[in-house]
Amino acid sequence: TALAAIIALYFLLIAAFALGIRRLPAFEPGSREPHHAFSILVVFRNEKDNLPALIKNLERLNYPKDKFEVLLIDDGSEDGSLELVKSMQMEVPELKLKICELKVPSSSPKKDALEMGVRQAAYDWIITTDADCSFDQDYLNAYDQFLELHPARMVAGPVICTFQDSLLHRFQTLDFLSLQGSTMGGFGAGNSFPFIRPFMCNGANLCYDKQTFLELGGFQGNKDIASGDDVFLLEKMLNKHEKEVHFIKSEAALIRTQPKETWRALTEQRKRWASKSTAYKNGFAKAVGIIVLLANFSLILGLILGMTGLVPWMYLGILFVMKLNVDFVLIYSTASLWQQQEAMKSFVTSSLLYPFFIVWVALLASRGSYEWKGRTFKK
């Protein structure tokens, strides 16, 4: 039947991603003299609570202070964030810290802010992250040594969600792990499965060559969509320089981001992520999105058909167990890399909730608007 065919296709796709994680080489930086210089870009809006920790984290980076700079770009903050970072600038004199302001209203403010930051960047390599992120002291060393060994135009890095002991946090952590597993699988499975290619990355941990960014026209061509600064740039890089786009599978390069504190905030975030999918030019990315959505919708449809007696419960149970098992392999493979196995204790509960969550988000995203940092954007 159609339900079985969709679940079988989903099973094969996720299994390929799980294999891709294993095939993707791990990278462990050593101790050597740094060679590359980096401009770290952080676009922020109303992040007063997170910016002090971020600046202290940047100050503690174990990297020569003359080989990196930090550009903090304010996107119309209304909570005193801009004034705060200006006052903190004097507290970190050794940190090469620049503060910029995006003053022109825009339908795609983050992309405009990043383009402004790239133009003002002093160094050849750009790294983007977010205000609520943290990283280890050897973060820049990992990228420096990876670039030394791999000819690259873009390097995507791993992002995990920190969590406390609540279902909401563990649900987000497991979702992040599935996304990261699929990301790594896309980078690692290509040699075994020619139809699989990189299709996803996260702007909270992204490194790219400034000159290549400018040659590709930055975010031109997708400015009508507020989000997607990471994925749309990845598409451009893959189209022109596919062999020079990599993923750094390294704990030293790991970024940790904070979870949303309410289900509503999480839903708005996922609506924003889903809203850009219709504009993907990468056919494989579109196919993955459709397969994942259909597989989760199939389970809901199967549940309805089961309650009406049109589908045997045994048949539905087999399909659910197939999906559960392959999801477990993918998520646990990623969790074990980044020591997040503790979140797996909510795996079954989250797996029961997830089909309803993702289908609900898809329905909301199709309505064409979402909230982001206190503003409403059209799809």
Side-chain angles (χ1 to χ4, degrees), residues 121-238:
Y123 299 128
D124 293 336
W125 285 99
I126 304 296
I127 287 183
T128 64
T129 189
D130 294 334
D132 64 345
C133 290
S134 61
F135 33 84
D136 293 338
Q137 290 182 335
D138 286 326
Y139 177 73
L140 290 182
N141 285 304
Y143 273 104
D144 171 68
Q145 294 179 33
F146 189 89
L147 292 171
E148 193 72 13
L149 297 173
H150 302 83
R153 304 289 183 117
M154 171 183 273
V155 181
V159 181
I160 61 172
C161 186
T162 59
F163 68 96
Q164 298 173 355
D165 197 22
S166 73
L167 176 60
L168 173 60
H169 283 190
R170 290 195 297 269
F171 180 89
Q172 291 178 74
T173 299
L174 293 170
D175 189 28
F176 251 87
L177 289 170
S178 70
L179 292 171
Q180 284 298 295
S182 300
T183 298
M184 288 187 286
F187 277 91
N191 290 333
S192 303
F193 305 94
F195 63 90
I196 291 181
R197 63 193 301 240
F199 70 101
M200 190 162 50
C201 60
N202 194 316
N205 194 3
L206 198 57
C207 176
Y208 48 85
D209 173 56
K210 174 181 177 177
Q211 192 58 41
T212 304
F213 177 90
L214 296 174
E215 289 173 359
L216 294 176
F219 302 114
Q220 295 302 316
N222 51 74
K223 284 287 193 72
D224 55 325
I225 303 171
S227 64
D229 52 278
D230 42 18
V231 176
F232 293 129
L233 182 59
L234 174 66
E235 288 184 346
K236 285 188 172 185
M237 290 282 186
L238 288 171

Side-chain angles (χ1 to χ4, degrees), residues 324-338:
L324 191 76
N325 285 339
V326 77
D327 285 345
F328 181 88
V329 172
L330 178 77
I331 294 174
Y332 187 79
S333 297
T334 315
S336 60
L337 278 176
W338 316 129

Side-chain angles (χ1 to χ4, degrees), residues 76-141:
S77 293
E78 301 167 332
D79 67 342
S81 294
L82 181 59
E83 292 73 20
L84 174 67
V85 293
K86 286 181 176 178
S87 67
M88 290 193 67
Q89 198 171 21
M90 304 300 294
E91 300 175 16
V92 286
E94 293 185 1
L95 188 64
K96 194 180 296 183
L97 181 62
K98 299 178 183 178
I99 300 171
C100 315
E101 297 178 59
L102 183 67
K103 296 182 178 180
V104 180
S106 166
S107 60
S108 186
K110 185 176 182 183
K111 291 174 185 171
D112 286 337
L114 285 171
E115 285 188 338
M116 181 174 70
V118 171
R119 287 194 297 269
Q120 296 190 21
Y123 299 128
D124 293 336
W125 285 99
I126 304 296
I127 287 183
T128 64
T129 189
D130 294 334
D132 64 345
C133 290
S134 61
F135 33 84
D136 293 338
Q137 290 182 335
D138 286 326
Y139 177 73
L140 290 182
N141 285 304

Side-chain angles (χ1 to χ4, degrees), residues 4 10 15 28 31 63 73 103 116 135 145 177 228 233 248-249 256 266 277-278 295 314 339 348:
Y10 176 88
E28 187 66 36
S31 55
Y63 205 74
I73 308 156
K103 296 182 178 180
M116 181 174 70
F135 33 84
Q145 294 179 33
L177 289 170
L233 182 59
I248 179 170
K249 183 182 171 184
R256 299 168 183 85
L266 175 62
S277 60
T278 54
M314 178 70 74
Q339 289 76 53
V348 174

Side-chain angles (χ1 to χ4, degrees), residues 312-350:
W313 287 109
M314 178 70 74
Y315 181 77
L316 179 60
I318 292 172
L319 296 182
F320 178 72
V321 169
M322 283 180 62
K323 183 178 184 299
L324 191 76
N325 285 339
V326 77
D327 285 345
F328 181 88
V329 172
L330 178 77
I331 294 174
Y332 187 79
S333 297
T334 315
S336 60
L337 278 176
W338 316 129
Q339 289 76 53
Q340 288 201 304
Q341 297 95 322
E342 179 69 17
M344 297 299 294
K345 70 181 185 181
S346 289
F347 174 73
V348 174
T349 304
S350 297

